[in-house]
Amino acid sequence: MPEPTKKDETENESAPPPPEQTTPQEGGNEKGKDVVIREMTSSSDEDDTSVSTPPADGMSKPAERKDSVWSLGEGAPEESEKRDDSQRSTLFIEKPQSGTVSVGGNITFIAKVEAKDLLRKPNVKWFKGKWMDLASKAGKHLQLKESFERHTKIHTFEMQIIKAKENYAGNYRCEVSYKDKFDSCSFDLEVTESSQAAPSIDIRSAFKRSGEGQEDAGELDFSGLLKRREIKQQEEEPEVDVWELLKNANPSEYEKIAFQYGITDLRGMLKRLKRMRREVKKSAAFAKGLDPAYQVDKGGKVRFMVELADPTVELKWYKNGQEIRPSAKYIFEHKGNQRILFINNCTMTDDARYYVTAGDEKCSTELFVRDPPILVTKGLEDTSTYVGERVELSCEVSEDDANVKWFRNGVELTNDPKSRYRIKVEGKKHTLVIEEAAKNDTATYSVMTTGGQSEAKLAVDLRPLKISLALQDQTVRLGQEIHLKCEISENVEGKWYKNGQLIEASDRVKLYHKGRIHRFVIPVSAVDDEGEYMFVPDAYNINIPCKVHIVDPPKLHLDGLGENNTVTVVAGNKLRLEIPITGEPTPKVFWSRGDKMVTDSGRIRAETYPDSSCLVIDAAEREDSGPFRITLKNEAGEDSALINIKVVDVPDPPQAPNVTEVGEDWCIMTWEPPANDGGSPILGYFIERKKKQSSRWMRLNFELCKETTFEPKKMIEGVAYEVRVFAVNAIGMSKPSMPSKSFVPLAVTSPPTLLAVDSVTDTSVTMKWRPPDQIGAAGLDGYVVEYCFEGTDEWIVANPELTDKTKFTINGLPTGSKILVRVKAVNAAGESEPKYHPQPILVKEVIEPPKIRLPRHLKQTYTRRVGETVNLVIPFQGKPRAKVSWEKNGSPIDKNDINIRNTENDTIIFIRKAERGHSGEYDMKVEVENLVDKATIDIQIVDRPGPPEVVTIEDVWGENVNLSWKPPKDDGNAAITGYTIQKADKKSMEWFTVIEHYHRTSATINELVIGNEYYFRVFAENMCGLSEDATMTKESALIAKDGKVYKYPVYDDFDFSERPLFTQPLVNTFAVAGYNATLNCSVRGNPKPKITWMKNKVLIMNDPRYRMFSNQGVCTLEIRKPSPYDGGTYTCRAVNELGEAEVDCKLEVRVIYHGVINPGEPLSLAGDNQLHSKDF
């Protein structure tokens, strides 16, 4: 048994973990991500770091070695060993356990995950070692299964190994992840030899390639990390220390070394090598520690030895953190201070990290178990063949199922199912198979193992080509399949050409090649498919031609037309009806209407194009409606169809509407539908009205009226109106109907008011009343008085003809009867509601004592000016037959000077032109039989007074003159109320008023100009005004120049400053869309404030839609043709240097008319149909 190679370096580590503590296992990596190999420099003294891996679960079971990466920097690998599993989220409820199976046996590992808190299935992966994902190795030896129990909500994941081999032994890992949660579990598989003798299996066989669908699919190999490389001739070399080789090698050579020396866990080896490179610490417990690394061939024996400083210290050995117990495999020896561990019959599971503890210190090493090299026992042979033949290149190696690599011109070949190369393994025989050899398969092929290589040359030549079946000329109907087929003697590719242009396969063109047969297929032929086709085999200078001719009978495509091939066009529009046509060759087109053919010129004409034909009608008319026939003809046949042209137009105007009923501000109108609806059903009607004297019509309805009756409202009573109607269909609006006969909205008056009994005799009743409160525009034609006897319902008309008086006497009544009376007002609109007397009236004369009802203004002196008219009406009571008499100052009145008129209820005294002699006391007396009533009226006729008597200058001093005068002799029959004093300079004699309405008879005139000489005059004044003349002073008053200077008082100017104040605020309002709207408010302030406007707190500036005015404090904002988007809150702000003020309001823009929705376009309104704000 060869001895393992040792390293000179010794690594002592302190603080060993207690036996029950678990160390990090191989299965953990950072967040479930693969650890990648980074570049390292070739310098041996460069710093390095390790990548920490998450620790395995807390179960106490054996753990494999840890993986690491070779990278720049410096780190502490031991930190990852001390991490606690609590950092990882717990997902497993049952973890797979380590197990043992015999060679050829089956074993299943089970993991369970609870799905109670998971929204979807977790992601589970199975790994062998550190990096091999077993999902791609599933096959006959490995099966992965999963299931879900709905009742318990548990996911079960199984990994089943079938017919286990010895190289399946090792460390495995199961990882589960869900979003940010992660859990991992490592477990070991030990494969023991069966009781029957079986040949040892080299672990290097795990390197062989395997693929899906092959008999060896599912083998656990390590080919994932092997890269393509150049082949070098390998020679017999002496045994090499792999640890030393990796230590000194360039990182780009790691994979090559791993393949050459059978390293299955390259990353683990690099990680262990990095730990060996750390600086060795001196140990007090170990006089001599373990070597940094050992290596041994598979099946060999290895010896570990340490020398203790104190032989009494207890020593324990560990493998990947699990204590080693003595057994037939593990043998312990003590020689003095030396402690020795032998490991017999080393397998790949023994490739691990070992350490020994003595007290609190430990010493560790690495063991590498190497497979023996695989030799090529039978090499490849040079081969020659023809294109399309099957080629097999075979070799034999020294062991079954060995890992062998194939190369073509130095480039590695893989056993990919999509590859045209297939690698077959039968025990020690390895074969490269090419099913159908091609010309470009000519190359040098080589095979490489860990112990040797072999190469051979393959030559592929072309065979002479023969045409077994040539292409045939075809005539194909349009839309049918084009199928071209040829057969040649060789199975080679080829190209298809049409008219010399290469044809590529597509969704429409199918190219088939099976063996020696080539087919060209177009499932649905087209016109463009006609031409010359040719097939050219690859690598041969030969072509196979044929011709394809496409024929197609003519056909009309009328799918886009309406029911019964009907086409509708609006009158006046241009119709361009395009009918797609097909046919090969291009058919001739004929259009006809009845027996008349449609030519290619004129208002109705036909236009023909290669793929369509057009019927064109310029300015369509109603007479153009009818069937048109289109006919297609070519050598393959003919096709024809009838197309119905329907010309639609706006409807005819309706007849003039009739106004059947009229109210106060409304009427009811009816009309008949138009005789012709224009070919489209009537959708409704629009109604307009206007004043008879106006020419402007106003739209009354903004939504179509579906009926033939309408009630216009909001008319002005007493104004003559006319109405008209528009009919609307899907095409548009008709012309207006003729206006209706003019009509005037009228309303009956309100009932008469204050109906009362004026007088009653033995045979008559006199009633009186007041006119109605509301008469209306129809005026008042008169009244109808009706009565009925108490106890009956028969009303008798007392006046057959209307009376325009408000008093009427009902004669011919029986004495002692009782009657009920009512009065109706009558005008052109009819009779009003009756006004009833509240109580029955007894027909019997009643004596009423006289009583004069003197008006209040006559109870005092009645004053009038001379020349004015005196007209006094004095009502009185008294029945029957009251007598009235008048006296003036106790004497009878002269009826030639004063007019007196008496009635039953009042007396009138009339003076056409009053004079002062008409003043006096007037006595009135009313007599009824022996009863008398008297009243006195004091009448005073007044006139302007005469001038004052003498005006005298009493004194002159300084700038002052004192005047005095006497009252006038004639006061005008009224008290003197004041005097007016005027002055005049002697030089100009122009008079100026200095005092008015002065009540005294003396006055002092001030502020006269010194050095001037003045005259003065005085007017007398009473209730009629100033006297006609004035009395002037006889002497003048001279104002001397010397005198005391008068000092005028000084007054301060009034401060008119004021901060802005809105005296009239803005008012919430609404506007009609499309019609200008204004907002108004008023503000005051001094200095004049600056006015700004805002909308929704945003300043309005330089916007042409708004105009702002400010005149005498009135602020106006005009919004031109607002839309609904202009609605919102508007604010007016006034600012001056003393402060500011704001006022706001809300504006709502309402859309009154939305139009008639016609197919394709909205209804357009004429300019005379605009809205006016006064109509709302």
Side-chain angles (χ1 to χ4, degrees):
M1 178 180 301
E3 285 292 321
T5 304
K6 300 181 181 179
K7 295 292 179 182
D8 295 336
E9 298 178 3
T10 303
E11 179 180 353
N12 296 329
E13 300 182 15
S14 60
E20 66 276 10
Q21 180 180 356
T22 61
T23 61
Q25 300 180 5
E26 181 184 355
N29 61 6
E30 279 189 353
K31 303 288 184 181
K33 299 179 181 178
D34 292 338
V35 180
V36 298
I37 300 178
R38 302 178 182 174
E39 279 192 28
M40 71 173 186
T41 62
S42 58
S43 175
S44 60
D45 57 352
E46 190 170 0
D47 295 337
D48 57 285
T49 61
S50 64
V51 177
S52 301
T53 59
D57 53 85
M59 300 177 61
S60 178
K61 60 182 181 181
E64 282 291 346
R65 61 188 179 275
K66 299 179 293 180
D67 293 335
S68 65
V69 298
W70 194 285
S71 61
L72 297 176
E74 183 173 355
E78 297 300 327
E79 293 179 1
S80 62
E81 302 177 9
K82 298 179 182 180
R83 291 187 181 177
D84 189 77
D85 281 344
S86 61
Q87 296 179 358
R88 181 187 296 119
S89 302
T90 301
L91 293 174
F92 286 116
I93 60 173
E94 180 178 330
K95 301 181 179 180
Q97 304 297 323
S98 300
T100 304
V101 65
S102 301
V103 175
N106 301 337
I107 187 171
T108 301
F109 297 93
I110 299 175
K112 294 185 178 181
V113 177
E114 187 174 9
K116 180 173 65 175
D117 298 330
L118 307 182
L119 299 179
R120 56 179 176 80
K121 186 184 73 173
N123 186 22
V124 174
K125 293 184 178 180
W126 298 85
F127 296 90
K128 183 176 188 302
K130 181 66 177 177
W131 51 273
M132 184 189 296
D133 189 350
L134 299 181
S136 62
K137 305 301 178 182
K140 68 177 183 178
H141 292 289
L142 175 67
Q143 294 183 0
L144 302 178
K145 300 180 180 179
E146 58 183 51
S147 61
F148 177 68
E149 179 61 40
R150 296 186 180 276
H151 299 292
T152 59
K153 293 186 177 180
I154 293 177
H155 290 280
T156 301
F157 302 91
E158 299 181 2
M159 182 182 74
Q160 185 177 7
I161 297 177
I162 304 171
K163 296 181 180 180
K165 299 181 181 180
E166 186 177 354
N167 60 336
Y168 292 178
N171 179 258
Y172 292 80
R173 185 174 80 259
C174 179
E175 290 183 358
V176 59
S177 61
Y178 176 78
K179 292 185 177 180
D180 57 345
K181 297 182 180 181
F182 173 79
D183 204 352
S184 176
C185 175
S186 297
F187 55 94
D188 293 320
L189 171 62
E190 183 177 355
V191 182
T192 61
E193 296 182 358
S194 59
S195 57
Q196 300 177 359
S200 61
I201 300 177
D202 194 344
I203 196 169
R204 286 178 297 173
S205 62
F207 279 99
K208 72 175 182 298
R209 300 288 177 174
S210 62
E212 297 180 1
Q214 301 183 21
E215 61 182 3
D216 56 351
E219 294 290 342
L220 308 181
D221 58 65
F222 303 92
S223 59
L225 291 178
L226 298 180
K227 299 182 178 178
R228 297 178 180 178
R229 59 182 63 81
E230 296 293 333
I231 302 176
K232 296 183 180 180
Q233 185 67 30
Q234 296 181 353
E235 301 178 355
E236 294 293 333
E237 298 179 359
E239 185 172 347
V240 180
D241 186 353
V242 177
W243 296 105
E244 189 66 26
L245 188 63
L246 286 173
K247 179 178 178 182
N248 298 323
N250 190 285
S252 61
E253 300 178 356
Y254 286 164
E255 291 189 3
K256 180 178 179 181
I257 296 173
F259 175 78
Q260 186 173 356
Y261 294 97
I263 301 175
T264 60
D265 190 1
L266 177 59
R267 296 187 181 185
M269 288 286 289
L270 294 175
K271 181 178 178 182
R272 290 153 61 187
L273 182 62
K274 185 162 52 175
R275 286 199 297 265
M276 293 163 44
R277 296 170 66 93
R278 291 201 301 267
E279 183 180 354
V280 179
K281 299 179 182 178
K282 294 184 178 181
S283 173
F286 296 97
K288 182 179 180 181
L290 294 171
D291 292 338
Y294 296 82
Q295 72 179 30
V296 65
D297 290 335
K298 180 180 177 182
K301 177 179 180 182
V302 68
R303 173 176 176 271
F304 297 135
M305 187 272 291
V306 296
E307 186 174 343
L308 300 176
D310 183 3
T312 62
V313 176
E314 182 181 0
L315 200 69
K316 290 186 179 180
W317 293 87
Y318 294 88
K319 173 187 176 183
N320 285 340
Q322 185 174 0
E323 186 178 356
I324 300 175
R325 301 294 183 182
S327 64
K329 185 176 183 67
Y330 301 102
I331 300 174
F332 297 88
E333 288 187 6
H334 291 194
K335 294 182 180 179
N337 290 348
Q338 294 182 349
R339 300 294 183 266
I340 303 172
L341 169 63
F342 291 95
I343 303 176
N344 298 321
N345 193 20
C346 291
T347 64
M348 298 306 294
T349 59
D350 295 322
D351 188 308
R353 182 188 181 201
Y354 294 83
Y355 64 88
V356 59
T357 61
D360 294 336
E361 297 188 16
K362 72 176 182 179
C363 180
S364 62
T365 187
E366 298 286 347
L367 174 63
F368 171 60
V369 180
R370 186 178 64 177
D371 274 344
I374 304 298
L375 303 178
V376 178
T377 59
K378 182 180 179 181
L380 300 175
E381 296 180 355
D382 293 342
T383 305
S384 297
T385 186
Y386 288 108
V387 173
E389 296 292 337
R390 175 184 172 95
V391 178
E392 292 186 0
L393 301 177
S394 300
C395 70
E396 293 184 4
V397 296
S398 57
E399 292 189 12
D400 291 340
D401 298 332
N403 188 17
V404 173
K405 292 187 177 182
W406 289 87
F407 298 87
R408 179 180 181 275
N409 290 337
V411 179
E412 183 179 355
L413 300 177
T414 62
N415 201 17
D416 191 341
K418 297 181 180 180
S419 174
R420 60 191 311 271
Y421 300 101
R422 186 167 61 89
I423 300 172
K424 183 170 63 173
V425 180
E426 298 174 347
K428 297 179 181 180
K429 183 178 181 180
H430 294 254
T431 304
L432 176 65
V433 179
I434 305 175
E435 291 295 340
E436 294 182 359
K439 183 71 175 178
N440 57 4
D441 288 329
T442 300
T444 299
Y445 294 84
S446 60
V447 63
M448 181 179 177
T449 66
T450 58
Q453 70 176 13
S454 176
E455 68 178 27
K457 293 183 179 181
L458 174 62
V460 182
D461 296 325
L462 293 174
R463 289 183 179 180
L465 184 67
K466 295 181 181 180
I467 300 175
S468 303
L469 177 64
L471 297 176
Q472 302 294 325
D473 293 342
Q474 294 187 7
T475 299
V476 180
R477 188 167 182 173
L478 185 66
Q480 300 296 322
E481 181 183 67
I482 299 176
H483 191 171
L484 305 179
K485 178 180 178 181
C486 67
E487 183 177 356
I488 55 180
S489 60
E490 298 299 325
N491 182 13
V492 295
E493 298 288 340
K495 295 181 176 61
W496 290 87
Y497 294 87
K498 174 192 172 185
N499 297 331
Q501 300 295 325
L502 180 64
I503 301 176
E504 300 288 347
S506 63
D507 294 339
R508 185 172 176 272
V509 178
K510 311 296 183 182
L511 303 180
Y512 299 98
H513 173 210
K514 185 175 182 182
R516 297 177 299 173
I517 298 175
H518 293 265
R519 292 187 297 125
F520 176 91
V521 178
I522 298 179
V524 180
S525 61
V527 175
D528 295 339
D529 294 329
E530 183 172 345
E532 294 185 0
Y533 289 81
M534 179 173 60
F535 176 74
V536 179
D538 290 346
Y540 289 94
N541 188 18
I542 190 173
N543 60 77
I544 307 173
C546 73
K547 293 182 179 181
V548 175
H549 179 56
I550 304 297
V551 296
D552 183 30
K555 182 174 178 60
L556 291 166
H557 299 275
L558 306 175
D559 298 338
L561 301 183
E563 185 178 0
N564 298 326
N565 294 338
T566 301
V567 178
T568 303
V569 62
V570 178
N573 290 353
K574 179 178 181 179
L575 171 64
R576 184 179 181 85
L577 176 61
E578 183 175 357
I579 305 297
I581 62 175
T582 57
E584 184 62 30
T586 302
K588 293 183 179 181
V589 183
F590 304 94
W591 285 90
S592 62
R593 183 181 184 188
D595 298 334
K596 185 178 180 181
M597 300 298 295
V598 177
T599 64
D600 57 355
S601 62
R603 189 177 65 86
I604 302 177
R605 61 186 180 274
E607 298 178 358
T608 302
Y609 301 96
D611 57 350
S612 64
S613 180
C614 291
L615 175 65
V616 180
I617 303 177
D618 294 331
E621 301 174 357
R622 293 186 182 179
E623 292 73 13
D624 296 333
S625 298
F628 285 75
R629 177 175 293 277
I630 179 174
T631 304
L632 305 181
K633 292 182 179 180
N634 71 355
E635 62 186 26
E638 69 176 49
D639 191 12
S640 65
L642 278 176
I643 299 176
N644 295 315
I645 303 298
K646 181 179 180 182
V647 181
V648 295
D649 198 358
V650 297
D652 290 344
Q655 297 296 323
N658 297 320
V659 178
T660 59
E661 188 175 351
V662 177
E664 178 181 2
D665 62 347
W666 56 270
C667 72
I668 295 178
M669 55 183 291
T670 60
W671 62 91
E672 294 296 330
N676 188 344
D677 61 2
S680 179
I682 299 296
L683 300 178
Y685 302 90
F686 282 125
I687 296 91
E688 292 184 349
R689 77 166 184 231
K690 77 174 184 69
K691 297 176 183 178
K692 183 177 180 180
Q693 302 302 326
S694 174
S695 61
R696 186 177 64 183
W697 291 89
M698 185 181 70
R699 178 66 54 81
L700 299 182
N701 61 319
F702 297 100
E703 294 183 0
L704 286 176
C705 175
K706 307 295 184 181
E707 307 295 333
T708 57
T709 181
F710 189 75
E711 182 180 352
K713 296 181 179 179
K714 297 183 180 180
M715 292 185 286
I716 301 174
E717 183 183 1
V719 178
Y721 286 92
E722 293 177 349
V723 292
R724 66 182 184 183
V725 182
F726 294 83
V728 179
N729 63 5
I731 307 306
M733 186 169 62
S734 71
K735 294 181 179 180
S737 68
M738 293 297 295
S740 67
K741 295 181 180 179
S742 62
F743 62 93
V744 179
L746 297 174
V748 297
T749 68
S750 61
T753 59
L754 302 177
L755 178 61
V757 178
D758 184 61
S759 63
V760 180
T761 65
D762 291 340
T763 60
S764 66
V765 173
T766 301
M767 305 297 296
K768 61 180 181 179
W769 59 88
R770 299 294 296 167
D773 292 335
Q774 298 177 358
I775 294 179
L780 181 62
D781 295 339
Y783 301 94
V784 174
V785 181
E786 297 178 341
Y787 69 93
C788 73
F789 293 100
E790 187 179 24
T792 66
D793 294 332
E794 181 182 359
W795 290 91
I796 302 172
V797 178
N799 56 328
E801 296 182 358
L802 297 179
T803 177
D804 56 353
K805 308 291 185 182
T806 58
K807 185 176 181 180
F808 186 80
T809 300
I810 305 174
N811 298 312
L813 299 176
T815 303
S817 62
K818 290 185 178 182
I819 63 172
L820 297 174
V821 180
R822 68 183 184 185
V823 179
K824 299 178 182 178
V826 180
N827 65 1
E831 296 180 347
S832 70
E833 293 291 327
K835 177 65 177 180
Y836 291 89
H837 190 273
Q839 297 176 351
I841 302 171
L842 177 62
V843 183
K844 184 178 181 182
E845 189 174 22
V846 178
I847 298 176
E848 182 180 355
K851 183 173 179 60
I852 299 174
R853 298 188 176 277
L854 192 64
R856 180 176 299 177
H857 68 282
L858 297 180
K859 291 181 180 180
Q860 300 176 354
T861 300
Y862 181 75
T863 304
R864 279 289 181 269
R865 295 182 181 183
V866 172
E868 292 182 347
T869 301
V870 176
N871 188 11
L872 302 178
V873 180
I874 299 96
F876 61 85
Q877 295 177 350
K879 294 180 181 180
R881 295 171 294 278
K883 296 181 180 181
V884 181
S885 61
W886 286 89
E887 291 183 353
K888 176 187 176 185
N889 297 328
S891 301
I893 293 178
D894 184 2
K895 294 184 179 180
N896 294 327
D897 190 20
I898 301 174
N899 294 321
I900 301 296
R901 185 176 64 85
N902 298 322
T903 66
E904 294 180 357
N905 298 319
D906 56 26
T907 180
I908 299 174
I909 181 170
F910 178 76
I911 303 174
R912 183 175 301 278
K913 190 175 182 180
E915 299 178 357
R916 292 177 64 176
H918 292 148
S919 299
E921 291 185 356
Y922 291 78
D923 297 322
M924 174 184 174
K925 182 171 65 175
V926 179
E927 298 181 55
V928 176
E929 295 184 354
N930 297 325
L931 302 177
V932 178
D933 191 16
K934 297 181 179 181
T936 300
I937 301 174
D938 187 6
I939 298 178
Q940 181 181 6
I941 307 301
V942 298
D943 196 1
R944 289 194 295 177
E949 291 190 4
V950 179
V951 179
T952 306
I953 298 175
E954 297 292 340
D955 191 9
V956 178
W957 74 97
E959 301 173 359
N960 306 309
V961 173
N962 187 11
L963 301 177
S964 65
W965 60 89
K966 292 182 180 180
K969 292 181 180 180
D970 183 9
D971 60 1
N973 204 21
I976 299 299
T977 58
Y979 299 92
T980 297
I981 305 169
Q982 294 181 343
K983 68 179 180 180
D985 189 359
K986 184 178 180 180
K987 295 178 182 178
S988 63
M989 289 306 292
E990 292 184 6
W991 293 97
F992 297 94
T993 301
V994 293
I995 299 177
E996 291 182 316
H997 312 303
Y998 192 74
H999 297 285
R1000 304 166 110 182
T1001 57
S1002 62
T1004 300
I1005 309 303
N1006 302 320
E1007 299 181 3
L1008 297 176
V1009 178
I1010 297 175
N1012 288 356
E1013 190 173 356
Y1014 293 93
Y1015 285 97
F1016 300 92
R1017 69 181 181 182
V1018 180
F1019 291 88
E1021 182 181 6
N1022 66 1
M1023 61 182 297
C1024 293
L1026 295 176
S1027 61
E1028 293 182 359
D1029 300 324
T1031 303
M1032 189 178 69
T1033 58
K1034 294 181 180 180
E1035 300 87 8
S1036 62
L1038 177 62
I1039 307 303
K1041 291 185 178 181
D1042 53 344
K1044 184 178 179 181
V1045 178
Y1046 179 74
K1047 185 178 181 181
Y1048 295 98
V1050 179
Y1051 300 97
D1052 296 333
D1053 292 338
F1054 183 77
D1055 185 9
F1056 291 95
S1057 299
E1058 182 182 11
R1059 66 178 297 167
L1061 175 65
F1062 283 95
T1063 58
Q1064 177 64 36
L1066 294 172
V1067 180
N1068 294 340
T1069 184
F1070 73 90
V1072 179
Y1075 297 88
N1076 293 358
T1078 57
L1079 303 177
N1080 300 282
C1081 62
S1082 61
V1083 65
R1084 71 184 186 192
N1086 191 19
K1088 182 179 179 181
K1090 179 181 178 182
I1091 305 300
T1092 56
W1093 289 86
M1094 295 179 288
K1095 176 188 175 186
N1096 296 330
K1097 301 303 181 183
V1098 177
L1099 188 64
I1100 299 175
M1101 292 181 63
N1102 301 325
D1103 194 334
R1105 294 181 304 144
Y1106 300 94
R1107 290 201 303 173
M1108 307 172 196
F1109 308 94
S1110 179
N1111 185 18
Q1112 300 296 326
V1114 177
C1115 306
T1116 302
L1117 174 65
E1118 180 181 0
I1119 306 172
R1120 297 183 176 180
K1121 296 184 179 180
S1123 65
Y1125 300 102
D1126 292 318
T1129 301
Y1130 287 81
T1131 304
C1132 181
R1133 174 184 292 173
V1135 181
N1136 67 6
E1137 60 188 20
L1138 299 180
E1140 66 177 43
E1142 287 186 0
V1143 64
D1144 55 25
C1145 71
K1146 292 183 179 180
L1147 174 67
E1148 178 184 358
V1149 180
R1150 298 181 181 176
V1151 178
I1152 302 299
Y1153 172 63
H1154 295 282
V1156 178
I1157 305 303
N1158 290 332
E1161 59 179 0
L1163 178 64
S1164 300
L1165 295 180
D1168 59 350
N1169 295 335
Q1170 297 177 350
L1171 291 175
H1172 300 278
S1173 58
K1174 67 179 183 179
D1175 296 321
F1176 292 91

